[in-house]
Amino acid sequence: MAGSAADPVITLRETAAELFAAACAAADPARALAAALARHPLPRPAPGGAYVVVAIGKAAIPMAAEMLRQLGDAPADVLVITNYENVRDLPGATVMAAGHPVPDANGAAAAAEALRRLDAATGADRVIALISGGGSALAPAPAEGLSLADKAEVNRLLLAHGFEITEINLVRQTLSRLKGGGLTRHAAPAPVTAYILSDVIGDDLRVIASGPTTAPIGSRAAARALLTERGLWPDLPEPVRARLAQPEAAPGPGPAAANHLIGSNRLSLEAVATAASARGLEPVIVSDRLTGDVADAADAIVAAATAAPRGRPACLIFGGETTVTLKGTGRGGRNQELALRVALAMPNLDRPWAFLSGGTDGRDGPTDAAGGITDQGTPARIRATGENPKTLLDNNDSNKALNAAKDLLTTGPTGTNVADVQIMLLG
């Protein structure tokens, strides 16, 4: 981008990236788990028993590493299931990598291994579940009569049609052996204690990783009604329709899990506000529930920026998880598209600004970017490469547009996931 090191827009962009890093640091899984264990100590196994630890999600490895540190020499059988980008060796644990956001065969194998270990647990054992965002796709355990391909197609359809995360997980739970309390049922008679890092807005434990240690969000009938109402029922694989049409089956017996929330999007937004204040900015958490269609979210952000009082630098903070309805064939993600939409919709404010939208896991959609950082020069930089930003947006090609403008936010995997953070800085 053209400009000197003193360019106020460049300064705002650099500050936005630093504030986003503060948001991710506040969701550090190991630190959050250590604090939670101080408040909620581990239950001890009965004589002859051991710890059975199952860690599932994008933050599974750092959470499992901290758990191993806390357990010391206690007998423990530890299984870690995480995404390919975050995988690494962890002494004392079996680590399995799987696909995200689209479930794959490795994830199915990992889920089967988790079920095998849970089914083998005894009443003397203590099952410890470490749950973080992404767990739903990473450990697919199709219900009887369903294949992995069936579940992958359902997941693709739900994402492509703009279903929100609670709706997606309502459907997922009805098609799974692990979700909607399945982990707890398979662990019986061993009691379950879960430590959960939230990636969903409102921190509904039934929604995080599709609630493996909680009661289901709803019934098969509710999932069937939702899919019918949204016109998706005819497009579902036939085995899925057959499954959802079956009478409700009572879940198997299982002890209620002790669930502990250890981190969330709201805590990360508060960390951004603290870091912004230290930099002389005026921070305001405008919304911690930025959800719904990405176009509506962009309108809300632009409106807030336009209405912000002048006189001193401001920092408008948002958090949530928007949805994108796919209409084109391009590549991108909800954060990249939101950053592009804001850049195209912002009026001339006669003051410098920079806007960041990023996924705290470091990945946005099927791309290597976490999101985007845009400013008033973004549209012109895209056009300077011969591309039309509006045409790219209409084709859901936000990755190409932001790459042309050198506006991609690329952090690499962060090892955590507490949904998305948006930062609007006004000079």
Side-chain angles (χ1 to χ4, degrees):
M1 182 174 67
S4 69
D7 188 318
V9 174
I10 293 179
T11 300
L12 290 176
R13 291 169 64 94
E14 292 172 344
T15 301
E18 293 168 358
L19 296 178
F20 181 71
C24 295
D28 177 79
R31 186 170 64 185
L33 180 58
L37 288 169
R39 299 189 303 270
H40 308 287
L42 289 169
R44 293 183 180 276
Y51 288 108
V52 179
V53 180
V54 178
I56 306 175
K58 294 183 178 180
I61 285 184
M63 291 177 76
E66 177 61 24
M67 181 58 66
L68 283 166
R69 191 184 73 80
Q70 297 270 348
L71 291 176
D73 295 330
D77 185 15
V78 182
L79 174 66
V80 180
I81 304 172
T82 194
N83 55 314
Y84 297 119
E85 294 84 354
N86 289 351
V87 73
R88 62 178 172 84
D89 289 337
L90 181 61
T94 300
V95 179
M96 302 183 73
H100 183 280
V102 179
D104 63 10
N106 287 337
E113 178 61 17
L115 289 170
R116 185 190 69 77
R117 296 182 184 215
L118 293 167
D119 289 337
T122 71
D125 296 326
R126 298 295 179 262
V127 172
I128 308 300
L130 306 176
I131 307 299
S132 56
S136 185
L138 290 168
E144 185 177 356
L146 301 181
S147 68
L148 179 60
D150 292 330
K151 291 198 67 177
E153 176 61 9
V154 171
N155 191 64
R156 185 191 69 79
L157 288 169
L158 294 173
L159 292 173
H161 287 78
F163 281 63
E164 294 187 356
I165 188 63
T166 301
E167 298 171 329
I168 290 172
N169 284 334
L170 166 62
V171 176
R172 283 173 170 170
Q173 288 178 355
T174 63
L175 308 177
S176 172
R177 288 179 289 157
L178 264 177
K179 300 172 177 58
L183 186 152
T184 306
R185 293 192 294 273
H186 280 273
V192 176
T193 303
Y195 298 91
I196 303 170
L197 186 68
S198 174
D199 68 330
V200 302
I201 306 312
D203 303 327
D204 186 341
L205 300 186
R206 302 172 304 167
V207 178
I208 303 163
S210 294
T213 63
T214 69
I217 296 171
S219 64
R220 291 180 195 171
R224 186 169 64 245
L226 173 66
L227 292 163
T228 301
E229 178 187 344
R230 300 285 283 275
L232 207 57
W233 182 260
D235 298 329
L236 298 172
E238 192 281 329
V240 172
R241 294 199 303 271
R243 166 79 179 176
L244 294 177
Q246 291 174 2
E248 213 69 45
N259 291 309
H260 304 295
L261 181 69
I262 69 170
S264 68
N265 183 264
R266 177 72 193 193
L267 293 176
S268 285
L269 301 187
E270 292 171 358
V272 172
T274 299
S277 294
R279 289 165 170 77
L281 299 169
E282 188 74 28
V284 178
I285 298 178
V286 180
S287 174
D288 60 2
R289 292 176 180 267
L290 191 70
T291 59
D293 188 80
V294 68
D296 296 332
D299 290 342
I301 291 167
V302 169
T306 304
R310 305 175 70 88
R312 64 175 300 182
C315 175
L316 307 182
I317 306 167
F318 307 79
E321 187 169 289
T322 60
T323 57
V324 174
T325 300
L326 296 178
K327 298 178 181 178
T329 59
R331 294 175 70 248
R334 58 181 181 264
N335 287 289
Q336 293 166 80
E337 182 157 324
L338 181 55
L340 179 60
R341 284 184 178 276
V342 167
L344 296 181
M346 280 285 282
N348 182 6
L349 297 182
D350 194 29
R351 65 192 297 193
W353 60 267
F355 174 70
L356 179 151
S357 184
T360 55
D361 61 353
R363 181 175 177 181
D364 184 43
T367 75
D368 294 331
I373 308 180
T374 54
D375 57 64
Q376 52 262 61
T378 294
R381 292 196 296 275
I382 297 172
R383 294 190 187 98
T385 68
E387 298 287 354
N388 184 313
K390 181 63 166 58
T391 300
L392 293 173
L393 176 62
D394 290 343
N395 193 40
N396 296 118
D397 217 352
S398 54
N399 183 266
K400 184 176 182 179
L402 296 184
N403 186 51
K406 308 301 183 190
D407 283 353
L408 288 173
L409 171 66
T410 306
T411 64
T414 64
T416 190
N417 186 19
V418 291
D420 303 334
V421 171
Q422 290 82 29
I423 302 166
M424 172 64 79
L425 297 182
L426 300 161

